[in-house]
Amino acid sequence: MSLPLLDLLLPQRCVGCGATGEPFCGPCLARLAEPARRPPAPRPAGLPDCWSAADYAGPVRRAVIAYKERAQVTLAAPLAEALACTVATALARAHPATSGFVLVPVPSARRTRRVRGHDPVGRLATRAARLLTAYGHRAAARAVLVPVRRVADQAGLDARRRAANLAGSLDVAGHRAPALPVVLVDDLVTTGATLSEAARALRSRGAEVLFAATVAATRRRS
């Protein structure tokens, strides 16, 4: 039986709450509508100002996992819209004079992309840039960051070990950073170590990093 026919026979259920009808229903979508500063604590050195659409909990957590780990790419639309709104909110509140900028996604390791079968953050950055352009911003997405060495699995590592594990792991492709200011984007911020390393790599090549924007943020405390 083909997948389109299965879709007709089996009702869609929201990944957030299980309600029938949509892949991510209205009440669950509403949880992504509160962009705010959500920095990790303790805050690692070099972490730019960090904005997120929501806390990483409940329906938002389930949607991010389904999109990233199970390749439910239909969720890219609502997650990218949440990311774009977060960027627009941060610009309006903290950087109103910015006339043009580049969204730079944090890259996954090559082996991780192969296992997942897609580039979740790269797709979100591209879609968010298109939405921001439609909102009237001069925005583009450029995947300029590249891994330059392998890192250990981050699962189970505390903030200090994550920072040590990631130190020096990223660089700018061709050593040419964007001329326009950069907004770093990722799906999730936990300890902030990954975003700090990404910001370090960009700054080392002369880029101006305005802030970081993510779909969700965990609530870790020392």
Side-chain angles (χ1 to χ4, degrees):
M1 189 177 291
S2 69
L3 288 176
L5 185 54
L6 280 173
D7 288 341
L8 290 174
L9 295 176
L10 300 175
Q12 272 194 324
R13 290 189 176 276
C14 170
V15 298
C17 66
T20 302
E22 299 290 339
F24 203 50
C25 71
C28 289
L29 276 171
R31 295 173 180 260
L32 289 168
E34 297 180 358
R37 285 185 173 93
R38 289 181 169 90
R43 184 181 182 127
L47 181 69
D49 197 15
C50 198
W51 293 71
S52 302
D55 288 331
Y56 186 59
V60 172
R61 180 179 182 275
R62 290 189 282 274
V64 170
I65 291 173
Y67 169 65
K68 183 166 68 172
E69 305 297 346
R70 303 191 198 109
Q72 293 190 20
V73 295
T74 56
L75 295 169
L79 296 181
E81 185 169 357
L83 185 62
C85 288
T86 300
V87 173
T89 299
L91 288 169
R93 294 181 184 174
H95 303 274
T98 301
S99 60
F101 56 92
V102 178
L103 301 186
V104 174
V106 172
S108 301
R110 294 180 183 89
R111 66 184 182 278
T112 303
R113 289 200 302 272
R114 286 196 300 269
V115 169
R116 289 174 176 160
H118 71 134
D119 178 12
V121 181
R123 178 183 278 114
L124 291 182
T126 299
R127 294 184 72 121
R130 290 174 185 159
L131 288 168
L132 287 160
T133 299
Y135 297 162
H137 295 281
R138 189 158 63 95
R142 288 183 59 193
V144 300
L145 286 171
V146 292
V148 292
R149 66 168 179 84
R150 295 188 68 170
V151 298
D153 188 346
Q154 297 274 81
L157 298 183
D158 62 18
R160 181 180 60 81
R161 290 188 175 92
R162 283 189 178 219
N165 183 41
L166 291 166
S169 64
L170 297 175
D171 202 349
V172 175
H175 298 174
R176 297 185 63 182
L180 290 172
V182 165
V183 175
L184 271 171
V185 296
D186 207 349
D187 61 329
L188 175 66
V189 56
T190 52
T191 65
T194 303
L195 289 169
S196 294
E197 169 59 17
R200 180 210 60 79
L202 285 159
R203 290 168 180 148
S204 73
R205 301 301 178 187
E208 177 190 0
V209 180
L210 291 176
F211 57 91
T214 69
V215 174
T218 60
R219 287 299 184 190
R220 293 197 172 200
R221 292 292 181 267
S222 58

